Amino acid sequence: MRIGTRGSALALAQARQVAALLGGEHELVQVVTSGDRGDALSDKERWVRELDAALIEGAVDCAVHSAKDVPAQLPEGIVIAAVPQRADPRDALCGAASLAALADGACVGTSSLRRAAQLRALRADLAVIELRGNVDTRLRKLADGDYDAIVLATAGLQRLGRADAGAPLDELVPAAGQGCLAVTTRAGEQDLVAAIDHPPSARALAAERALVRALEADCHTPVGAHAQLSAPGTLTLRAFVGAPDGSAWVRDALDGEEPERLGADVAARLLSAGAREVLA
């Protein structure tokens, strides 16, 4: 098959992982997205638009994405056909063993409003500063002393062979889909990749994406969502909504069996507890 992917080191590592899971010989087709070019597009569309177009036009047979980069609403004719077994979904702190180990006023780098909101809620003394670039660039800026610590995704570090660079941050609720890969195909062609789907991971992702849709959240919204199996057939969904400055936040957790319903229910509970006002 022709597997569509972005050309970054992490994206290629993820596409090779999918190719290995599928078995046999497959072609990786690198597609330059709007995000790679630095174009300003709304929400997460900049990371997937050109890959979606390549699928629709028949230039590729499937595409591999970091699930957290896939918009809550997919274009007509495209579906998430497989979610391989999830990697570690947690955020990782690089440069210190823990949040508690950071000195007062320490400078922590992140490009994520979700991470910034939670860091400020947990440690109001921290100077949370914007950090851009790929994983290697961010780690180099940390090594150069531009930051006392930075926050990255544990899964990304693992996939690049840099797992030892960070310590898991259990205090933070991850982004919806963090640690998951989403393999998309044209509608009706899911069988091409169905064999590599991991149902528990797919169910967890479905619950997290349902919550994001119900909150009408985007990549500029400080929202965390993480679902996992807590008993046979039962998911526990944790969620966080916070103000970027850390001054207010709402958390919730709920069990359920039906992913879409669970995500909608948790979103409704967050909104009833004041999440809309926090986001505003």
Side-chain angles (χ1 to χ4, degrees):
M1 286 195 297
R2 297 162 300 164
I3 301 174
T5 176
R6 293 174 54 220
S8 72
L10 179 56
L12 289 169
Q14 293 173 167
R16 292 187 187 107
Q17 178 184 339
V18 168
L21 289 171
L22 289 168
E25 297 294 328
H26 306 285
E27 177 188 359
L28 299 189
V29 179
Q30 295 187 37
V31 176
V32 178
T33 68
S34 301
D36 297 317
R37 294 194 299 265
D39 295 351
L41 289 177
S42 62
D43 196 18
K44 302 173 182 181
E45 182 188 8
R46 63 188 183 277
W47 302 116
V48 303
R49 185 174 68 170
E50 286 77 10
L51 283 162
D52 288 343
L55 263 180
I56 291 171
E57 294 165 1
V60 298
D61 302 304
C62 68
V64 180
H65 307 275
S66 293
K68 65 184 179 65
D69 293 336
V70 179
Q73 298 291 346
L74 295 172
E76 184 176 355
I78 291 179
V79 296
I80 295 177
V83 180
Q85 186 166 2
R86 189 175 208 162
D88 192 330
R90 294 175 293 180
D91 290 308
L93 184 67
C94 306
S98 66
L99 280 181
L102 289 170
D104 287 350
C107 177
V108 181
T110 177
S111 61
S112 162
L113 284 179
R114 171 192 59 82
R115 289 169 179 158
Q118 294 186 76
L119 289 169
R120 289 169 176 144
L122 290 164
R123 288 277 307 268
D125 63 288
L126 294 177
V128 182
I129 309 297
E130 185 174 32
L131 170 64
R132 297 286 177 181
N134 59 33
V135 171
D136 286 335
T137 297
R138 298 183 193 198
L139 289 173
R140 184 170 64 251
K141 290 180 178 180
L142 173 65
D144 289 344
D146 296 345
Y147 303 85
D148 297 308
I150 64 174
V151 182
L152 299 171
T154 297
L157 291 171
Q158 291 175 339
R159 288 169 179 149
L160 290 172
R162 304 293 300 272
D164 59 347
L169 272 174
D170 292 310
E171 303 96 320
L172 272 59
V173 180
Q178 190 159 299
C180 282
L181 298 180
V183 185
T184 56
T185 67
R186 291 177 287 274
E189 299 183 6
Q190 294 95 312
D191 285 351
L192 289 173
V193 296
I196 66 172
D197 187 59
H198 183 247
S201 299
R203 292 183 69 227
L205 178 61
E208 295 163 15
R209 287 174 57 79
L211 180 141
V212 170
R213 281 195 299 272
L215 290 177
E216 298 181 351
D218 59 26
C219 63
H220 304 296
T221 311
V223 170
H226 177 235
Q228 61 182 349
L229 281 176
S230 52
T234 300
L235 289 168
T236 297
L237 175 59
R238 293 188 301 131
F240 167 92
V241 172
D245 63 1
S247 61
W249 63 91
V250 183
R251 290 177 177 265
D252 195 17
L254 186 67
D255 294 341
E257 296 181 355
E258 203 286 309
E260 298 278 347
R261 175 67 181 271
L262 179 60
D265 285 349
V266 173
R269 286 159 58 103
L270 290 169
L271 292 170
S272 69
R276 194 179 307 281
E277 290 74 19
V278 171
L279 292 175

